Amino acid sequence: MDNTDSMDSTAWNQRYSGSELVWSAAPNIWVEQLTQDLAPGKALDIAAGEGRNALWLAARGWHVTAVDFSAVALHRARTLAGEQLGEHGGALVTLEADVQTWVPQARSYDLVLVVYLHLPSNQRSPIMAAAAHAVAPGGTLLVVGHDLENLTSGHGGPQDPEVLYRPDDIVGDIEPAALVVVRADTVTRSLTDPQGQPARALDALVLARRPMG
């Protein structure tokens, strides 16, 4: 999910109801780069949308729970799982829930993803904290979103500064979970604009791990 407008499930169900994927079928580049060497385990994709990242993980041996409040998006994720994963389609489980009120079980997932979830800070912070608390010992949290700097120096993404953030904002959100921050950077993602010209987007990226024990 790339929630750039509102947290209204009806609107998102309508958006996802078209025949085409709303987002790319390929996984996010940072998810691919930063999780490809992790040993498969139990993963949680918060605000998963149509499941592009969850499906990519499931195809690599992860058992993934994809959470979103759009029933339409999750139905599409399950359909894609059947098409792409075959007899291993059960590796992807969907859960319809509003991530503003749903709280994952603490210390339960080897990998937790929060990718392009954009909300005002008072709504975002509890979700990020809950995501961090859900990381199991030895597990990893990866948060990726449109950086606040993207407004002036990048392409695309939300144009409301109230729902954008910097890496340090996420570091602050997850501090109560006592994870070790491995990376907290603004990173550049290459893309093609609607006119077919090369462009760049600036993402806020935070990678953190919970120590064993």
Side-chain angles (χ1 to χ4, degrees):
M1 178 177 180
D2 187 335
N3 190 339
T4 58
D5 299 308
S6 69
M7 285 295 284
D8 178 77
S9 60
T10 300
W12 279 94
N13 279 331
Q14 291 173 349
R15 188 171 184 181
Y16 284 124
S17 65
S19 60
E20 300 295 328
L21 288 172
V22 174
W23 313 116
S24 166
N28 171 261
I29 185 174
W30 311 122
V31 172
E32 183 174 2
Q33 289 185 6
L34 296 173
T35 70
Q36 61 184 351
D37 293 330
L38 297 178
K42 187 178 178 183
L44 175 65
D45 188 359
I46 294 176
E50 298 157 305
R52 61 177 181 140
N53 297 312
L55 287 162
W56 184 82
L57 290 169
R60 281 148 185 79
W62 291 83
H63 291 273
V64 189
T65 299
V67 182
D68 203 278
F69 68 175
S70 170
V72 174
L74 294 177
H75 175 74
R76 180 165 287 177
R78 290 191 299 271
T79 299
L80 292 170
E83 295 172 353
Q84 297 176 15
L85 303 177
E87 63 182 10
H88 301 294
L92 175 68
V93 175
T94 61
L95 175 62
E96 183 182 347
D98 186 339
V99 297
Q100 290 190 87
T101 55
W102 176 79
V103 179
Q105 185 174 353
R107 293 173 172 258
S108 296
Y109 297 91
D110 302 299
L111 174 63
V112 178
L113 300 180
V114 189
V115 182
Y116 300 119
L117 175 65
H118 289 278
L119 294 166
S121 60
N122 65 321
Q123 299 173 47
R124 181 201 72 230
S125 294
I127 296 171
M128 296 298 178
H133 281 295
V135 177
T140 301
L141 170 71
L142 176 59
V143 178
V144 179
H146 301 285
D147 195 285
L148 179 61
E149 191 179 341
N150 195 63
L151 269 181
T152 54
S153 302
H155 178 84
Q159 299 301 298
D160 179 3
E162 294 299 316
V163 303
L164 299 174
Y165 50 80
R166 299 185 186 278
D168 285 349
D169 297 323
I170 302 302
V171 171
D173 290 345
I174 68 174
E175 185 175 4
L179 302 185
V180 176
V181 176
V182 178
R183 287 187 63 179
D185 301 321
T186 297
V187 290
T188 301
R189 174 170 45 88
S190 299
L191 50 80
T192 303
D193 69 18
Q195 288 72 46
Q197 299 300 311
R200 69 170 196 161
L202 300 180
D203 290 335
L205 184 153
V206 173
L207 181 71
R209 296 198 171 100
R210 184 180 299 285
M212 294 296 296

